Amino acid sequence: MSNIYDHAYELEKAIRNSEEFNGLKDAYEAVMNDEAAKKMFEDFRQTQITLQQKQMQGEEISEEEVEQARQVVELVQQHPQISKLMEEEQRLNTVINDVSKIITKPLEELYGNPEEPQQ
């Protein structure tokens, strides 16, 4: 019987070689090679991280912070390279979510889906 970790490493390799990952990698490199886009993207990421940390620590996020985050998001979405990066990231996330559903299917079948009546 084959080792489950071997399959996991094969999956990692498949993701690295996928069109979705390579599209994301190319888009990321394009952003990093453009100083203005890089700065804008780094500001965006820092805003995300700061808000996530506050949420995880149970701190309240002020209206001012919410508005600032909204403005940062609007700004980065208007930048073509960053917008492309976000699209490519979403494509890869869709693949990863689909794979996650496949991987967790045995658990779902074992415990059943609480939204569906068992027969």
Side-chain angles (χ1 to χ4, degrees):
M1 182 170 205
S2 62
N3 183 330
I4 197 164
Y5 293 101
D6 292 340
H7 292 294
Y9 286 115
E10 287 175 26
L11 180 57
E12 177 210 9
K13 191 182 292 184
I15 289 171
R16 285 184 189 276
N17 292 324
S18 72
E19 180 182 315
E20 292 83 1
F21 179 78
N22 284 298
L24 175 61
K25 187 176 170 187
D26 290 345
Y28 180 79
E29 287 171 359
V31 168
M32 292 298 114
N33 289 327
D34 177 322
E35 281 304 314
K38 180 179 178 181
K39 170 96 174 80
M40 198 180 294
F41 182 70
E42 287 172 348
D43 290 347
F44 168 69
R45 289 286 299 137
Q46 189 55 54
T47 300
Q48 280 185 316
I49 291 168
T50 300
L51 293 179
Q52 283 178 337
Q53 286 174 340
K54 283 188 123 181
Q55 277 184 321
M56 289 171 57
Q57 294 170 357
E59 295 178 30
E60 197 167 314
I61 297 170
S62 70
E63 287 296 321
E64 182 180 316
E65 289 170 314
V66 169
E67 179 59 25
Q68 180 187 4
R70 188 187 62 73
Q71 289 175 358
V72 169
V73 168
E74 281 182 18
L75 188 63
V76 297
Q77 286 176 335
Q78 291 174 11
H79 194 288
Q81 288 173 314
I82 298 174
S83 182
K84 173 75 171 160
L85 174 61
M86 294 169 94
E87 289 172 19
E88 294 296 332
E89 186 175 318
Q90 185 58 47
R91 283 183 62 213
L92 181 59
N93 280 336
T94 298
V95 170
I96 290 172
N97 287 336
D98 290 347
V99 168
S100 180
K101 287 177 188 172
I102 293 166
I103 291 171
T104 57
K105 191 172 184 176
L107 290 173
E108 186 180 317
E109 289 173 354
L110 177 65
Y111 292 115
N113 188 342
E115 297 165 8
E116 295 177 14
Q118 291 188 359
Q119 296 182 14

